[in-house]
């Protein structure tokens, strides 16, 4: 029996919300093909892994998977793209599904790239829409962090696709009698070259992704010490300081502070972009902000022309003035 297989992303049993988006995207595809949705969950083979698989299976069934298959092997206990990719490739070779969907996250795209390479099959990443009725299948996919939509087609015996992160709303569609089973791939230790070896707990409290106010600094800040005035303003507004890649490239701030295509996507109530030109790679990380205030000496800078508000001036004078005014009003 054919199927649409969804690769479930999780981190030691903690389900990635993107997995629910992938299941939601898979349902209409499976319905059009008249086949079931099968969730594939990689995991270890001890008792803890069994409990984890049970909890994940219940959630997958709530989002439309009529079968949940645990791909179990000690090498799959923690995330490793090579071992996960090989395990899924073996499962795909056995089941011969119409399509395999994964999350369009870093991990989902990484695993699917391994699957595609092992099966010598093409893949289409970050799909927004999937039309299995077209011949060949037609997809619209997200490029450049969402600033470009690309129409593509895919002709291959097994369609390997990832679903653009946040491109589809996760919606439940419970399956009353979902079945579960185990698939044991044959894996050897050479597939464990890349595995998650350590986890660092992120600082508690407001983060760049959750902050309602982000004060971003670019090359115009001039030095690591220059960020002191941005920190002061952010603290006054219970916000976070972000930065551009020019700043991280210069070693002025950690990469964890970087906003953009190769950094963090932010969506605060207000983003204050100080001394940032607004290159497309920065913009795609900032464009979901509800309001943007640009502070720049160049009135023609991209960030200034795209911002809701702009102050044309030297950030070293403007930022302390804003902080002082906020304090005065309080
Ligand atoms: P600049 O472009 O040099 O701009 C500095 C700005 O500061 C100018 O507008 C200037 O007018 C203003 N300025 C100078 N002095 C002052 C002052 N005293 N007061 C006020 N304004 C002043 N970039 C990112 O940010 N995030 C990413 O994730 C990212 N990913 C990338 C991925 C790829 C594959 C590539 C190729 C590039 C990526 N970049 C990214 C880099 C991006 O293209 C830009 O080079 C970078 O964003 C520029 O940073 P900036 O705006 O701080 O510096």
């Amino acid at each position: 029996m054919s199927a649409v297989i969804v690769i479930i992303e999780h981190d030691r049993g903690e389900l990635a919300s993107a997995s629910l988006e992938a299941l939601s995207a898979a349902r209409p595809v499976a319905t059009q093909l008249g086949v079931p949705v099968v969730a594939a969950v990689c995991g270890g083979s001890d008792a803890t892994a069994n409990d984890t698989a049970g909890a994940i299976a219940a959630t997958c069934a709530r989002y439309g998977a009529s079968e949940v298959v645990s791909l179990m092997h000690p090498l799959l206990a923690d995330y490793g793209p090579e071992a996960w990719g090989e395990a899924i490739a073996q499962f795909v070779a056995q089941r011969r599904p119409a399509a395999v969907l994964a999350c369009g996250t870093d991990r989902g795209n990484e695993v699917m790239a391994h699957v595609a390479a092992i099966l010598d099959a093409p893949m289409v990443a970050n799909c927004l829409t999937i039309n299995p009725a077209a011949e060949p299948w037609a997809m619209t996919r997200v490029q450049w962090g969402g600033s470009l939509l690309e129409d593509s087609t895919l002709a291959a015996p097994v369609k390997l696709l990832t679903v653009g992160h946040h491109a589809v709303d996760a919606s439940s569609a419970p399956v009353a009698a979902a079945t579960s089973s185990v698939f044991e791939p044959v894996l050897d230790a050479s597939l464990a070259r890349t595995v998650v070896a350590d986890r660092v707990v992120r600082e508690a409290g407001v983060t760049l992704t959750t902050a309602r106010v982000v004060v971003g600094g670019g090359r115009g800040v001039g030095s690591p010490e220059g960020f002191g005035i941005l920190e002061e303003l952010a603290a006054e507004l219970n916000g976070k300081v972000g930065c551009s890649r020019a700043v991280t490239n210069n070693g002025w701030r950690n990469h964890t502070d970087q906003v953009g295509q190769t950094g963090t996507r932010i969506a605060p109530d207000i983003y204050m972009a100080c001394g940032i030109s607004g290159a497309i790679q920065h913009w795609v990380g900032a464009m979901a902000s509800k309001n943007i205030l640009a502070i720049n000496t160049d009135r023609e800078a991209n960030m200034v022309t795209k911002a809701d508000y702009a102050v044309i001036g030297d950030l070293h004078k403007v930022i302390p003035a804003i902080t002082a005014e906020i304090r005065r009003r309080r």
Side-chain angles (χ1 to χ4, degrees):
M1 182 177 58
S2 186
V4 173
I5 292 176
V6 177
I7 303 170
I8 301 301
E9 183 176 326
H10 67 95
D11 192 56
R12 283 207 165 240
E14 198 174 315
L15 198 67
S17 58
S19 292
L20 307 180
E21 297 171 12
L23 283 166
S24 305
R27 286 199 313 264
V29 176
T31 303
Q32 286 192 64
L33 296 171
V35 300
V37 173
V38 175
V41 186
C42 288
S45 46
D46 56 10
T48 320
N50 271 325
D51 293 348
T52 301
I56 291 180
T59 307
C60 291
R62 277 207 306 282
Y63 282 80
S66 47
E67 184 184 352
V68 182
V69 182
S70 300
L71 278 58
M72 288 190 152
H73 190 283
L75 286 184
L76 302 175
D78 228 324
Y79 176 71
E82 293 159 297
W84 282 41
E86 175 61 32
I88 288 157
Q90 289 180 19
F91 182 55
V92 169
Q94 188 213 56
R95 286 291 180 104
R96 299 184 179 279
V100 185
L101 270 60
C103 312
T105 54
D106 288 349
R107 285 188 176 185
N109 281 325
E110 187 176 32
V111 169
M112 192 62 101
H114 277 272
V115 174
I118 293 164
L119 297 176
D120 195 21
M123 70 174 268
V124 178
N126 303 321
C127 296
L128 188 63
T129 62
I130 302 165
N131 180 4
E135 184 54 51
W137 285 28
M139 275 75 54
T140 302
R141 65 176 184 152
V142 194
Q143 293 276 49
W144 287 92
S147 56
L148 177 73
L149 298 180
E150 182 183 88
D151 291 329
S152 38
T153 57
L154 180 60
V158 182
K159 316 294 187 293
L160 304 181
L161 311 165
T162 65
V163 178
H165 196 189
H166 300 312
V168 177
D169 286 333
S171 59
S172 63
V175 172
T179 59
S180 57
S181 59
V182 172
F183 175 82
E184 292 181 309
V186 179
L187 305 175
D188 69 67
S190 67
L191 293 165
R193 285 181 304 181
T194 321
V195 285
V196 172
D198 196 10
R199 283 174 171 73
V200 178
V201 179
R202 298 177 73 173
E203 62 185 287
V206 183
T207 66
L208 260 191
T209 34
T210 60
R212 297 182 66 187
V213 176
V214 174
V215 182
R219 199 193 307 272
V221 175
S223 67
E225 298 74 34
F227 275 85
I229 53 174
L230 280 75
E231 292 284 3
E232 268 188 62
L233 176 56
E236 210 54 55
L237 298 169
N238 194 27
K240 283 292 282 184
V241 170
C243 67
S244 71
R245 180 153 141 180
V247 168
T248 52
N249 279 353
N250 279 338
W252 297 349
R253 309 273 304 181
N254 279 334
H255 180 260
T256 46
D257 292 346
Q258 186 179 309
V259 172
Q261 183 191 335
T262 47
T264 302
R265 311 269 163 103
I266 59 170
D269 289 344
I270 181 152
Y271 178 44
M272 300 184 187
C274 314
I276 295 177
S277 60
I280 182 70
Q281 298 90 351
H282 185 84
W283 176 251
V284 296
M287 65 187 181
S289 305
K290 293 175 192 71
N291 293 285
I292 296 181
L293 164 66
I295 301 173
N296 204 304
T297 46
D298 177 7
R299 63 176 61 248
E300 304 296 329
N302 264 340
M303 192 52 94
V304 173
T305 56
K306 286 177 169 164
D308 302 284
Y309 308 95
V311 178
I312 307 304
D314 181 352
L315 66 92
H316 300 100
K317 293 184 182 147
V318 175
I319 295 174
I322 295 173
T323 309
E325 181 62 15
I326 291 170
R327 287 178 181 155
R328 190 187 68 77
R329 290 192 184 207
R330 280 182 182 155

